[in-house]
Amino acid sequence: MRWYLLKTWVGKEKELVNEITRTVPSFLYNECFVIYQERIWRKQQRSVVHVEPLFPGCVFLTCEEQGFLIKRFEQIPAIANLLACKNLTILPMMKEDGEFLKKISGEDHMVKLSYVLKNEQGQVCRISEPLGICREQIEKYQFKKRYAMIRHRLWGEDQAIVLGIMLKEDAERKLLYENTEISVEMSGIALH
């Protein structure tokens, strides 16, 4: 599977996905999507799950075609216009980048919250996936803001990636969900 990174303006990701699915023949690609992530916001002593793009301004496209997809995209008037106006840049991705993104976001392209368990001394003793996949790359935890920052090489550069975490006190309370436009579902969390 070949992955492409489509860079657009932050906040225009969904609009670009809609434009591609509307104007590009479906035989040219498998999927066009945004990778989202779940994050917890603490509001009035409550844990609220919010969904946001993992990489603002980035849309991903997959295809099985071995040829040069960009040249075929340039022939579609709506895409050619976006490229000409510098509202879109299409970059082929390395195979490892696509594999990593698929591993952390799954088939639904949603990076779920990772459960982080701390021991009595406040040290992390267990981590669930998807953060568990990146355990060797964790640079820091921000427990109050409910995230962990990892450093991973993507697109040929070291990237700081922030992934949402859930703590024991969040799991013991009922989590509230915002952004009902995107369906999110808490699944069983396996600790490793």
Side-chain angles (χ1 to χ4, degrees), residues 37-131:
Q37 71 165 325
E38 294 178 337
R39 292 284 303 273
I40 290 182
W41 289 350
R42 296 288 296 156
K43 291 182 180 178
Q44 299 171 346
Q45 299 177 347
R46 300 176 96 179
S47 299
V48 180
V49 179
H50 171 77
V51 176
E52 60 189 42
L54 180 61
F55 302 104
C58 295
V59 171
F60 300 90
L61 186 130
T62 62
C63 67
E64 305 209 14
E65 168 124 359
Q66 297 300 317
F68 199 56
L69 179 76
I70 298 170
K71 288 290 182 202
R72 295 191 69 184
F73 262 48
E74 288 173 345
Q75 296 170 355
I76 297 162
I79 303 303
N81 186 41
L82 289 171
L83 290 166
C85 296
K86 305 259 190 256
N87 291 335
L88 174 64
T89 306
I90 303 173
L91 305 166
M93 290 174 49
M94 293 174 29
K95 183 180 177 184
E96 306 82 53
D97 293 348
E99 289 170 353
F100 171 75
L101 294 174
K102 185 174 182 177
K103 205 182 297 185
I104 66 168
S105 68
E107 295 295 325
D108 61 353
H109 314 297
M110 175 73 70
V111 181
K112 304 285 187 191
L113 291 169
S114 297
Y115 184 77
V116 175
L117 184 64
K118 299 188 287 182
N119 62 20
E120 293 167 5
Q121 291 77 37
Q123 299 167 322
V124 173
C125 59
R126 296 172 95 184
I127 308 168
S128 75
E129 291 186 359
L131 185 59

Side-chain angles (χ1 to χ4, degrees), residues 3 7 12 14 25 50 60 75 78 108 119 137 144 179:
W3 282 59
K7 296 196 80 158
K12 298 288 187 181
K14 191 171 181 180
H50 171 77
F60 300 90
Q75 296 170 355
D108 61 353
N119 62 20
Q137 300 164 308
K144 286 187 181 196
N179 278 8

